[in-house]
Amino acid sequence: MVKIELQKDNILNELAKFYDYKRHGFMTVNGVDLGDKMEIQWIFYDYSEKNSTIVYFCLFDYEDEIPSVVSIVTPAWIAEAEVVDMFGVNIKGVNRGFFLEDDSIKMPLRKIS
Amino acid sequence: MTKVLNVPLGSQHVALLEPVSFKLTTKNERVVEVTADVGYVHRGIEKACETKFKFKQIPFVVSRVCGLCSITHATTSTLAIEKLLNLEVPKKAKYLRILALELDRIHSHMLCLAHTAENAGYEALFMRILRDREHVMELQEILTGNRVHFDYVCIGGVNRDFDNDLNSTFEKYLKIFENFTTEIKELFLNNWSLSLKYKGVGAISADRALEQSLAGPLIRACGLKIDVRSEFDFLPYSELDFNIITSDGGDVYGRNMVRLDEIFESIRLIRAVINNLPEGDIQTKVKGNPDGEAIVRLEAPRGELFYYIKGSKKPNLDRVRIKTPTFTNIPSMIDMLKNQEYANVPAIIASFDPCLSCTAK
């Protein structure tokens, strides 16, 4: 697994430079609550290489606006919707409620003491 | 005159195996807009894995995500945890895991084909396929001790040894599977209302399939040789001369053909496992707690299953992320339903073989 850190202001540029849908499979967008920050990961693999997993990640404060990567990775919208529902983060242009109903527990995967 | 109708499909509907809700806008019976709600069976399994259970219990918890690919969930999570523990699993256990996974693939594909038959109005064929699928479940019970939630795979190996006396029983059943799959394939190859009328229906091009990162039989039906079993060496598929099954057309017909041929390939793999089963232990002792991050992908019957696991030398895991094949394929399903005849919608959905228990988890 290769992990590459991105800066908040350069996520879309870096992913646009990297991602070629004919060469890379998109796995998912993943959220990890680190206790004081959120780690958002964009996970890919390379069709032409065995055992390849490429993880781009960026650390965010809970209230930060996270850019949506749908303009670069078309099917990412469903994974972004899940991260928004499960962690209560703010991804630009993504509404709550695709997985959880309005009266569900809010941000169930957030580690809140 | 254009007639616009809003048609709800689900959350409970005869054409749907599990609860999912589509709102379809149709113009003269052609679908022009689709929205979906997939969260009816969210059970908080990821949260439970992080808070309620210790890492050794995780494979048994996640096998409850899905009744059909339970063994795939257990195996994928186990492989990720073993990676974090630097655990070397006995070769015999790896072979037995393949045996269980391929039996699972057969019965999952058979359910999908049965559902396809039911949607086409072939109730008797639906019953016939389910009757034959019962034999697969009998073999699963012989191998693991259970019919649905097997709890067969554990961290360090498998929970039950394979008795060589079972060889003849397995061979007897494998012959039955071969015969009924040959019969069913004959029907799917030649019957208009069951199968041939779906040529070109719900089609997706190879380029679009790559753009949507489709998974499993769906992408292989576009002629693309993408199968996680050939990409990773977590399990020794390469020692068994594994072949990737593909079809062309990328349509409902092609997807069913991939599933039928994958049943034959799974039968071949099961025979290869039994004939080449190594001697030795089936479990190794687990020491320590998981530390670090691991990603493992495995080919479930419906496509790529993904687990991300993070530990920090504690008995409880910090993060368990599950991404299932249906979750991957839903964006494409919604996209594909647009511009289709409303009457073909159930067949297209069934050809995706969607599992909402997996998706909402």
Side-chain angles (χ1 to χ4, degrees):
Chain A
M1 178 168 73
V2 181
K3 269 192 102 173
I4 302 163
E5 183 163 10
L6 299 174
Q7 298 307 311
K8 284 181 196 173
D9 54 358
N10 210 20
I11 293 166
L12 295 182
N13 282 341
E14 288 296 322
L15 289 182
K17 266 194 272 175
F18 159 77
Y19 184 65
D20 171 5
Y21 72 84
K22 289 183 179 166
R23 189 179 157 199
H24 301 118
F26 166 69
M27 275 195 251
T28 195
V29 182
N30 184 28
V32 183
D33 187 352
L34 302 177
D36 56 348
K37 280 182 185 299
M38 277 298 302
E39 179 177 331
I40 301 293
Q41 304 173 339
W42 298 270
I43 307 174
F44 304 89
Y45 64 99
D46 193 323
Y47 290 126
S48 60
E49 280 180 35
K50 287 201 167 194
N51 300 309
S52 77
T53 306
I54 307 139
V55 181
Y56 282 89
F57 74 101
C58 185
L59 300 178
F60 292 94
D61 293 323
Y62 292 121
E63 61 278 2
D64 281 349
E65 185 180 74
I66 300 165
S68 167
V69 300
V70 170
S71 59
I72 301 159
V73 187
T74 317
W77 66 263
I78 190 167
E80 289 183 348
E82 191 184 41
V83 170
V84 165
D85 272 359
M86 297 299 156
F87 289 97
V89 293
N90 174 20
I91 298 183
K92 195 175 178 183
V94 180
N95 296 322
R96 283 178 50 81
F98 191 72
F99 285 91
L100 299 180
E101 300 302 317
D102 288 341
D103 56 352
S104 300
I105 299 169
K106 304 285 182 284
M107 43 191 185
L109 291 183
R110 185 81 76 77
K111 293 188 195 318
I112 301 169
S113 55
Chain B
M1 193 179 82
T2 304
K3 190 168 184 180
V4 179
L5 278 175
N6 293 313
V7 187
L9 183 74
S11 57
Q12 308 295 324
H13 191 278
V14 286
L16 301 170
L17 279 181
E18 290 186 71
V20 55
S21 166
F22 296 96
K23 288 192 179 102
L24 308 167
T25 305
T26 62
K27 271 187 191 168
N28 292 343
E29 301 210 5
R30 192 168 283 275
V31 178
V32 290
E33 196 53 61
V34 184
T35 58
D37 184 347
V38 300
Y40 288 90
V41 277
H42 175 68
R43 286 150 290 157
I45 286 183
E46 289 180 3
K47 181 74 174 177
C49 289
E50 293 167 20
T51 54
K52 302 276 183 205
F53 297 97
K54 296 193 167 48
F55 78 90
K56 283 183 187 171
Q57 298 167 309
I58 298 302
F60 309 130
V61 179
V62 295
S63 70
R64 270 74 187 163
V65 169
C66 177
L68 272 174
C69 50
S70 132
I71 199 86
T72 325
H73 280 276
T75 309
T76 317
S77 61
T78 301
L79 289 167
I81 294 169
E82 285 168 353
K83 215 172 161 185
L84 295 180
L85 294 167
N86 290 319
L87 208 61
E88 189 49 47
V89 174
K91 198 167 181 183
K92 188 176 189 181
K94 290 183 182 176
Y95 271 64
L96 289 174
R97 285 175 180 181
I98 292 182
L99 182 54
L101 285 166
E102 294 309 316
L103 279 174
D104 207 42
R105 192 176 319 280
I106 294 174
H107 93 122
S108 178
H109 282 354
M110 288 187 77
L111 182 68
C112 178
L113 294 164
H115 192 216
T116 304
E118 190 190 27
N119 275 339
Y122 285 70
E123 290 287 334
L125 181 60
F126 168 78
M127 294 295 182
R128 168 72 209 283
I129 297 174
L130 285 194
R131 188 197 73 184
D132 293 335
R133 179 173 169 265
E134 186 63 24
H135 294 310
V136 189
M137 300 180 83
E138 281 168 28
L139 270 192
Q140 287 175 315
E141 189 174 1
I142 290 169
L143 178 69
T144 69
N146 281 313
R147 285 165 51 83
V148 181
H149 290 301
F150 313 111
D151 295 341
Y152 178 62
V153 175
C154 63
I155 298 169
V158 292
N159 278 324
R160 209 166 139 130
D161 205 351
F162 184 85
D163 189 341
N164 284 336
D165 295 346
L166 293 174
N167 285 4
S168 57
T169 312
F170 264 74
E171 187 47 44
K172 184 183 98 184
Y173 278 113
L174 291 176
K175 279 201 179 116
I176 295 172
F177 301 162
E178 260 175 348
N179 290 339
F180 70 57
T181 312
T182 306
E183 271 181 52
I184 295 166
K185 188 174 176 185
E186 201 62 23
L187 279 170
F188 273 86
L189 277 172
N190 298 311
N191 191 301
W192 170 258
S193 50
L194 173 67
S195 183
L196 293 176
K197 73 173 179 183
Y198 293 123
K199 275 192 172 181
V201 171
I204 187 165
S205 67
D207 189 65
R208 186 78 178 137
L210 287 172
E211 192 182 2
Q212 294 277 352
S213 280
L214 273 184
L218 296 164
I219 199 160
R220 293 193 285 280
C222 300
L224 296 164
K225 287 198 160 195
I226 295 174
D227 191 314
V228 184
R229 286 175 286 180
S230 70
E231 285 178 38
F232 285 89
D233 46 16
F234 300 126
L235 294 172
Y237 275 101
S238 58
E239 294 173 16
L240 303 171
D241 295 328
F242 162 67
N243 299 310
I244 300 179
I245 304 295
T246 60
S247 178
D248 50 20
D251 48 14
V252 172
Y253 175 86
R255 286 168 211 144
N256 288 332
M257 286 303 134
V258 167
R259 292 191 180 100
L260 282 158
D261 287 336
E262 283 192 349
I263 293 176
F264 287 116
E265 180 63 9
S266 292
I267 292 169
R268 198 190 61 74
L269 286 169
I270 291 168
R271 279 208 179 99
V273 167
I274 292 170
N275 294 334
N276 298 292
L277 193 62
E279 292 295 323
D281 294 333
I282 55 163
Q283 261 188 40
T284 192
K285 205 171 175 188
V286 180
K287 287 179 191 164
N289 290 321
D291 185 27
E293 294 171 288
I295 287 174
V296 168
R297 294 156 55 216
L298 211 61
E299 190 71 22
R302 296 175 171 95
E304 172 197 290
L305 177 64
F306 162 101
Y307 269 73
Y308 166 91
I309 285 183
K310 185 177 183 189
S312 50
K313 292 185 180 169
K314 289 181 293 191
N316 286 86
L317 296 170
D318 292 337
R319 177 81 173 108
V320 176
R321 166 78 161 107
I322 307 165
K323 194 222 59 174
T324 63
T326 302
F327 183 88
T328 305
N329 292 333
I330 278 178
S332 188
M333 188 203 289
I334 292 171
D335 192 49
M336 195 183 289
L337 290 176
K338 291 174 192 165
N339 213 27
Q340 297 290 331
E341 292 287 338
Y342 176 74
N344 286 331
V345 167
I348 294 169
I349 294 173
S351 76
F352 272 74
D353 194 12
C355 178
L356 277 304
S357 292
C358 277
T359 304
K361 37 186 197 296

